Amino acid sequence: MGKAKGELVQGTLDMLILKTLARAPMHGYGIAQSIQQISDEVLRVEEGSLYPALHRLELDGFIDSDWGQSANHRRAKYYKLTALGHRRLSREANNWSRLAQAIARVMEMA
Amino acid sequence: MRFFKKLRRRWQLDRDLEDELRFHLESKAADTGDASTARRLVGNPTALAETCRDMWTFAFLESAWQDLRYALRTLGKSPGFVFVAVAALAFGIGADTAVFTIGSAAFSWDLGIDHPERVVFLEIDDPSQAGGFESSFLNYAALKSEIHSLSSLMAYRWMPANVSGKGVLPERYHCVQMTANAFSMFGRNPLMGRYFTMEDQHPGAAPVVVLSYHLWQERFGKDPSIVGRTLRVDAEPRVVIGVMPAGMQFPENAELWTPLVSERDWLSGGRGAPLFFGRLADGVKLAAARSELSTIARRFARQRPESYRGLLIDVQPIFELMGFYHARALGAAVFCAVGFVLLIACADVANLLLARAASRSREISIRMAIGAGRWRIVRQLLIESLVLAAGGGFFGWLIAFTGLRWFDSSTSQAPRPLWLDFSMNTRVFLYLAAISIGTGILFGLAPALRLARLDVHNAIKDGGHAAAGGTRGRSLANLLVIAEIVLCVILLAGAGLTIRSAMNLYGAPVGVNTAGVLTMRINLPQAKYARPEDELAFHARLKTRLESLPGVEVASMASDLPMRSSRLVSYDVEGSAPDAGHSPRVGSLLIGTDYFRVMQVKPLSGRASVNAGEVIVNQSFAQKVWPGENALGKRLRLVKNKTPQPWLTIAGVAPDILQNFRHPVQRDPMIYLPYAGESPGGVFVIARTRVPAATLAEAFRQEPPALDPDVAAFEIQTLESRIAQQRLNVGAFSAVFTTFAMVALLLAAVGLYAVMAHSVSRRTQEIGIRMAIGGARHDILALLFGEAMRPLAIGLTVGLPLAFGVTRVLQASLVGVAPGDPITFAGVVVVMVLAGVLGCAIPARRATRVDPLVALRCE
C-alpha cells in the first residue's frame, strides 16, 4: 500500500472512485491520475488496490465498464457510474461529511 | 441479470485484465517516460490478476467442476468396477422407477372432479331384501331432505348400453344413469353444451344423454356438431345435450350419462338398485356423517318396522369402489420388493467403493497432507459416487422405459380402466432424478467419511492397508452383505411362492377344449325384447346365421363362461327333508342347446343337452348330494324368494369344469339349466370353429347388428385368450417377483464376491505366510469359505423368519399354496447357499493359487 499519510481505507477508495466517475467516464489509469492530481499528490492509488476495487464495484453494480478508444487511440476499458452508483455515492458522501464534522468537533474541543 | 453478466465476464476476464493492465503500464510509461520504473511500481501483476480473478470466480462451482473432471478420470481407469457398479445401479433404479410409474398411474384415482376424497357413498344393508330400500324413490326423497352432513344426496346406477347410430356398427359402452344434481357437485363445466337439469329428470321429459370426452373422441371423432344429434341408446332415441371435458369420468370408466328419471327408473327392473352418494358438507368429517346416517336408519326402522327392521346405513369414501383401491396392499408389497432390489444394489456399490478405498488411501492422504481440507476430500468422493449414480440413473431410465413398454403391451388386452397411462411424465422424471441422487449419496457417504477420517501419517507410511481394511472396515462390509442377503431371502421367498402359485394355476386343466372356441357378448335391450319368447327367437336366428358362416361348426350360448363366475341359486333335493329358510346353494349356469358340443365335453352319463323341465349336474354335485348313487332321473328344484319352483329332472351328469375364477383350481359343484329367455345381464355367444377362431372375429361382430341394428356385439375373443387373461394377473405378478428376485440374487452374489475378493487381496500376505509354514490348500479354502459363509448364515437366520412374516401380505393372491410353504422356503435356502458358494468360489480359488513367495514379497 502507499505511504502512511496517504493510506486509504477500502471504503473511502470506493467513494473516491465513484466521485471521480461522477464527473465523467474514465479508464482505470485516468481515475488513479485524477485522484492523485486533485489531492495534490497526497492520495496515491496503487494498482494493487485500484483494480480490485474497480472490479468489486462493477460486480456490485455501481459502475459499468465498456471497451473504448483512449485519447491516443489505444484500446482501454472505460468505467461509468450507474444509477445505483449515483445513489451509493450520495449516501457515502453524506456519511463521510457527517464523520468528518464529528471528528472536527472532537478535535476542536481540545 | 448480474449472474449472467458475471458468467460472461468470467470467460473473458483473463484477457481483459491483461489488456487493461498493459494499457495502464503503457500510459504510465508514457507519462513518466520510464518504462522499467513503471513496471516495478505496479507491484506483482500475478497477485493482482489473482485478486481480481478471485472476485469474479464462482469458487464453489469451479472447484466442483475440477472435482468432476478428476472423478471422470479416476473412474475411467477402472472400467470393470464402473461397469459392475453402473449395471447394479441401473437395474435397481430402473426397476424402481418402472414400478413407481405403474403405481402412480394405477393408484392415482383421478376421476376428473373436484376433491374426490370428499365424495362418499351410502352402503345400505337391508336385511329384508337386497336393494329394497334404495329402490324406493320416496326413500331417496326423504333421505335427501333429512341429510345435513352431505351437501346433497345424489344417486347413480350402472346401465351398460348399446349405442347405435347411422352407418357405424353398434357398440357397447359404460352408460350411467344419474340424478341431475350430481353434475353441479363435480365442479366441472361441460366442454360443449350443457348437463342435466331438474327438468330432464321428470318423467315425460325428452330423453337426453351427455357424452364423455373419451366417447366423443373415440366414436364420433371429436365431431363439433355432436350436440343436438340423436343417438339410439339401447334402442331408445336420445338427444345429445353436452360433452364433458377430458378426464372427467365419474363413476370410474363412465362413458355416457343418462338422467335417472324420478320414480320410473328407480325400480330395479332387474338392473339393481341405484347407489346413493354425495359430497361431505364443508367441515363435516366422515365419522359425523356415519353417525347421522345410522341415526336416520334407526328412525326408518322404527317408523316402518315391517319393511326396514334392522336397516343399517354406512358411509364409505367413493374410492372404495374404484378399481385398484383394494390392491393397495399388494401394490405396496411390490413397491417394497423393488425398493429392496435398489437397496441391495446400493449396498453392493458401497462395498465395492469400500474395497476400492483401500487402494486409494495413499493418494488421499497425500492430498490431505498438501492441504486439501477434509470436506474437500469428502466432496470429491461424493462427486465420484454421484457420477456413478448418474450413469446408473441414465441406464436405469432406459431399462424402465423398455420395461414399461413391455408391461403396457402385455397387459393391453386385460380389462384396464380407461385412464391408465403408463407414460413417463414429469413426476416420474423427478422421482428418477431424486432416487439417483439419493442412492449416490447413500452409498457414497460411508466410504467417503471413512476415507476422510484417515490418519494421514499412518496411511502414507502403511501403504494403504490400514484404511478400510481394519476390523471396522470389514465389519461394515460384512454388515452390508448380511443386509443384502436378508433382503434377497425375502424376495426369493416371495418369488418362490408366486411361481408355485402360477404353476398351480396354469397347470389346472379347465375341463373343456379351450382351443378353437370364439366367444362374444351381446345384450338385448329390454325395450325391444320384453318377452322371453322374443329373446329366444333372436338367439335361435343368431345361431342359424352363425352356423351358416363358413368355418363354424356349431354355435350356442350361455349365461357365463368357464373361469369366470356363476350365479348362486338355492335348491331343494327330492327325498331329503327341506331345511326351512336355509336351502343349500349351488352355482348355476344357463346354457343353450349344443353348449357341451361347442365345449367338446362328453357327458359322464345321460345326455349333453337339456330341455325344459330338465337339468344337468356336474360330477362334484352328483357325488355331494347322492354319493355312490346314479344321479340320473333324480329330481331337484330351485327355490326363488323362498318359493319352490317346479321339479326338474336330472338328464345328464357332466364332468367337472372350472367355472369360478375366484377358485381357480377348485372344482365346485354346478348345475346347468336350459336358457329360457331371461337375461338381464346379457349372454355369451360361443361357437366352435374349424378355422382359427380369431379370423372369424369380424364376421361375428357383424352378425347381431345384421339381425337388429340396436344390438351390439362386444368383447369378441377366443376362449383361450380369455382364460389366459384371467390367469394373467397371477402370471404377471409371479413374473415380476421372479425378475426382482433374480436380479437381487445376482446382486447379492456379486456383493459376496466383492467382499470375498477384497478380503483375499487384503490378506495375500497372510495367506502366503500360512502356506509357507505348511498350510495345505484345502485348509486355506476352508478358512476363507468359513469366513464368507458366516455372513450368509447370519443373513439366512435373520432373513427366513422375516420372509415368513412378510410373505403373509401375498396371501390373497396365492393359488393353492400357503404363505409358509416349507418346500418354497427350503428352495430359498438351497438357492441362496448355491449363489453364495458361487460368489465365493472364484476369489477362493485365486487365493489358493497364490505363490507363497510372491505373496510374502508383495504389499
Side-chain angles (χ1 to χ4, degrees), chain B residues 511-513 515 553 595-602 688:
Chain B
V512 308
N513 185 0
E553 257 181 50
Y595 173 80
F596 287 107
R597 260 186 73 196
V598 172
M599 294 298 184
Q600 285 191 345
V601 171
K602 291 223 183 319
R688 176 156 290 283

Side-chain angles (χ1 to χ4, degrees), chain A residues 49-60:
Chain A
S49 34
L50 173 67
Y51 285 100
L54 281 173
H55 285 237
R56 194 174 47 245
L57 285 170
E58 191 181 351
L59 256 178
D60 289 337

Side-chain angles (χ1 to χ4, degrees), chain A residues 27-29 33 46-48 50-52 55-56 58-61 64-65 67 70 74-77 79, chain B residues 2 5-6 9 13 16-17 19-21 23-24 26-28 30-31 41-43 48 51-52 55-56:
Chain A
H27 50 70
Y29 182 66
Q33 289 298 93
E46 289 245 342
E47 295 78 4
L50 173 67
Y51 285 100
H55 285 237
R56 194 174 47 245
E58 191 181 351
L59 256 178
D60 289 337
D64 258 338
S65 70
W67 283 97
S70 75
R74 275 208 293 261
R75 209 169 95 96
K77 201 175 197 186
Y79 294 90
Chain B
R2 280 221 299 270
K5 201 163 144 198
K6 199 174 167 186
R9 280 300 167 82
L13 179 64
D16 274 3
L17 199 52
D19 287 348
E20 205 174 353
L21 286 176
F23 172 77
H24 190 108
E26 285 170 0
S27 309
K28 202 164 197 176
D31 281 353
L41 280 176
V42 165
L48 177 58
T51 321
C52 287
M55 261 186 277
W56 285 95

Side-chain angles (χ1 to χ4, degrees), chain B residues 117-309:
Chain B
E117 69 280 359
R118 304 274 303 165
V119 178
V120 297
F121 71 97
L122 302 188
E123 216 172 23
I124 300 181
D125 186 12
D126 182 355
S128 65
Q129 183 197 343
F133 184 83
E134 300 99 298
S135 300
S136 160
F137 179 69
L138 292 172
N139 288 343
Y140 167 73
L143 266 182
K144 187 158 172 236
S145 59
E146 287 182 20
I147 279 190
H148 295 297
S149 46
L150 300 185
S151 56
S152 184
L153 190 66
M154 306 136 199
Y156 76 77
R157 179 206 274 130
W158 278 108
M159 203 194 67
N162 302 329
V163 172
S164 35
K166 297 191 277 293
V168 197
L169 283 181
E171 274 188 71
R172 195 149 183 83
Y173 288 104
H174 300 290
C175 177
V176 179
Q177 289 176 321
M178 212 155 67
T179 52
N181 52 0
F183 278 97
S184 45
M185 189 239 335
F186 296 153
R188 291 266 189 285
N189 285 330
L191 194 65
M192 295 167 45
R194 64 171 179 90
Y195 44 65
F196 304 144
T197 60
M198 297 301 288
E199 280 79 48
D200 297 313
Q201 233 174 252
H202 283 162
V208 293
V209 63
V210 171
L211 306 181
S212 70
Y213 184 86
H214 172 83
L215 176 61
W216 178 53
Q217 185 185 42
E218 209 188 75
R219 187 173 172 87
F220 300 104
K222 296 212 218 174
D223 180 0
S225 65
I226 188 74
V227 177
R229 286 224 321 239
T230 308
L231 296 181
R232 291 168 72 83
V233 177
D234 259 356
E236 208 189 327
R238 286 179 179 273
V239 178
V240 177
I241 56 167
V243 177
M244 293 308 283
M248 204 233 122
Q249 35 134 19
F250 182 92
E252 194 187 4
N253 287 339
E255 289 171 302
L256 63 160
W257 295 271
T258 60
L260 189 57
V261 172
S262 315
E263 285 137 5
R264 184 191 77 194
D265 284 338
W266 233 263
L267 298 173
S268 304
R271 282 204 186 277
L275 182 91
F276 295 177
F277 68 100
R279 189 190 285 282
L280 287 173
D282 286 332
V284 174
K285 288 210 181 14
L286 189 65
R290 278 212 174 103
S291 65
E292 187 193 13
L293 276 153
S294 65
T295 318
I296 294 181
R298 279 199 297 277
R299 191 162 19 152
F300 267 95
R302 261 202 322 272
Q303 285 169 353
R304 305 264 300 274
E306 71 284 1
S307 316
Y308 299 132
R309 183 151 58 127

Side-chain angles (χ1 to χ4, degrees), chain B residues 58 70 75 91 145 169 172 178 187 243 256 292 294 303 345 435 481 554 653-654 657 666 671 690 734 763 793:
Chain B
F58 312 81
Y70 184 70
L75 285 176
F91 272 117
S145 59
L169 283 181
R172 195 149 183 83
M178 212 155 67
V243 177
L256 63 160
E292 187 193 13
S294 65
Q303 285 169 353
I435 57 173
V481 167
V554 60
V653 177
I657 297 177
Q666 230 174 292
I671 64 175
R690 267 179 247 111
S734 153
R763 300 165 73 179

